[in-house]
Amino acid sequence: MENHLQDLHEVLSKVQGYVYPNEIELNWSILIVLYPYITGLVAGAFILASLERIFKLHILKPTYGLALLTALSFMLVATMPLVSHLGKPLRAYEIMVTPHLSSAMAIFGFVYLWYLMVVLLLEIWFDYRRDMVIWANETKGIKRFLYKALSLWTTDISPKAVALDKKLGYIVTVIGVPSAFLLHGYVGFIFGSIKANPWWSTVLMPVIFLFSAIVSGIALVMLIYILLSKIRKQKIDMACLDLIARYLFYILLIDFVLEGLDQIHRIYEAEESFEVLHMLVFGKLFYTMFILQGLLGTIVPLLTLGTFQFVQPKEKIRKAVYLVTSALILIGVFFMRWNVVIGGQLFSKSFYGYTSFKIGMIGTEGYLMAAVWIIVPFIILSFLLWLLPPWKKKDEDADIQEV
Amino acid sequence: MPQQIKRLISAFAIVILLFLVMQQVLKPSSFGVSGHYRFLAIQENKLKELQYAGSESCIKCHEDIHIEKSDGYHAQLKCEVCHGPALRHVMYADKFENEELPDSLKLNKPDERKDCAVCHRINAARIKITFDTIDNSMIKQVDPMKHNLVHKKTKVELKCIECHYPHQP
């Protein structure tokens, strides 16, 4: 209490120009950057899996199961940044038992549940049911119990039942693609619909979020696939990898053009907020926007992947480049989310000033907390890969007709 | 009905049922009493300690300053903007008439140059620029590193309050 004016002084030294009192502190920090990032990875990975299923791109088969399990592992963690951001772990469950129908924020609960329960879990379940029944018979002890429980104690693996699984799985995938679009479109909507914030408020936001989500999801599966093959000492299926890289290139291109359109629109409109945003982009967001998101996360990958569409260097080089490129894209998309979430709070809605953002190591909003929520999905994924290894699936596609 | 469909339907039924039960058990008791929130949260917040007393409460004991201030340039500034939250001071200070206040009841006396600069330093965002004038009447601004920094003869650094009386600048 004694230090009131000292505090005021310290607080105001974070500020340039004029800001409203409630704009000095950033309320949405790194955890809220992670939330759209992780949800985006889920939607993207799922869409990659659906490509194989819906368009029957069998070249992508080696990544199908992997993409689904990746989507699931990240989906299970998707709410955690939000919940830990609220900072009340002892009553965090309350938000889940009090659903609300007219709050845009609370709708996430429904979007999430729909996607997790009706799409992801069902698709994986139909895909693995037959294998789980077989594996249950081949294993003993706890693993056997797990398989039994996960397959809901079903036993029927007659060709007829398996064909039904395939058919239903296909239907779920067809429902799943628009659902994945909805999931991430929704996250973009959360920002795009905030009309008081000129950095966020654009109808293109859901679309941009969606495309960058697909980009990041595909890059993630690509990265995991390469690393996993290294770890398992398996040969990488280059045809598959090349095709993924091609899709990645196309979608990254669309994403780039869309984001460019958004900016051109903003520049041409030059509303009264333009000045403050212009200074923001060339000042506080310069590194994260132009270097990390733009150059490393978009231009470099576009150039390398684009070149590969015309000249194909040796396999070894391609592999290395894919590895680096996918990592770069993942970083780029992370900083795209950063620029949206953090950038949107750095300038005053009076358009007369800026505040600044400094993030700590520890604490519920620090780097470490964020790192935890990035690492946990990989732990879940390792467990899922151990339990449901896609490469051990006993595929008898030959004798079971697909729908 | 095929086996797996039956199992799935029962699994979903169990999950939904479980949710409904959990919802009944876990929902805070005062939730929904008066809208979509935990009604007792308001009570909880009421229990928080108050910090500010408001400018009117100072008049009782510091009437002189109140009067001085009311016809000066700082008339609209509330006392606690400069002196900090003063509720405890207001409640307990009269026990110490004409004595040194204990530390817990002392208030800030923001008498440094930087303290006045919080509001008065040059701030482009507080200048109104019309097409031919620059109007800084929104709040008068000076450069705290230049404006009468040192005494003309003795060259010692001067505090703002040596020339401007803070309650009537």
Side-chain angles (χ1 to χ4, degrees), chain B residues 40-50:
Chain B
L40 287 179
I42 299 177
Q43 244 54 36
E44 265 168 41
N45 276 313
K46 269 195 198 162
L47 293 178
K48 282 189 182 153
E49 210 186 328
L50 289 178

Side-chain angles (χ1 to χ4, degrees), chain A residues 38 80 130 134 160 193:
Chain A
I38 291 183
M80 294 322 288
R130 171 171 164 274
I134 297 176
K160 206 173 133 225
S193 61

Side-chain angles (χ1 to χ4, degrees), chain A residues 1-2 4-5 9 12 17-18 91 94 96-100 126 152-156 161 164-165 168 352, chain B residues 2-5 7-8 19 23 26 28 31 36 38 51-52 80-82 84-85 108 110 114-115 118 123 125:
Chain A
M1 205 198 279
E2 277 76 45
H4 168 79
L5 220 106
H9 202 76
L12 287 180
Y18 178 81
R91 54 169 210 240
E94 285 181 10
M96 295 163 208
V97 294
T98 55
H100 193 296
F126 282 129
L152 300 175
W153 288 276
T154 51
T155 47
D156 188 357
L164 183 67
D165 282 344
L168 291 174
Y352 278 124
Chain B
Q3 185 193 33
Q4 67 260 54
I5 305 282
R7 293 287 158 84
L8 265 187
F19 173 78
Q23 195 185 20
L26 293 177
F31 186 86
H36 194 87
R38 197 163 48 91
Q51 304 281 352
Y52 286 88
E80 286 161 300
V81 169
C82 295
N108 299 313
K114 70 169 170 44
D115 297 331
V118 167
N123 182 340

Side-chain angles (χ1 to χ4, degrees), chain B residues 92-105:
Chain B
Y92 305 114
D94 50 353
K95 300 207 183 84
F96 301 91
E97 200 81 53
N98 303 322
E99 323 169 24
E100 178 82 356
L101 285 173
D103 274 355
S104 63
L105 295 185

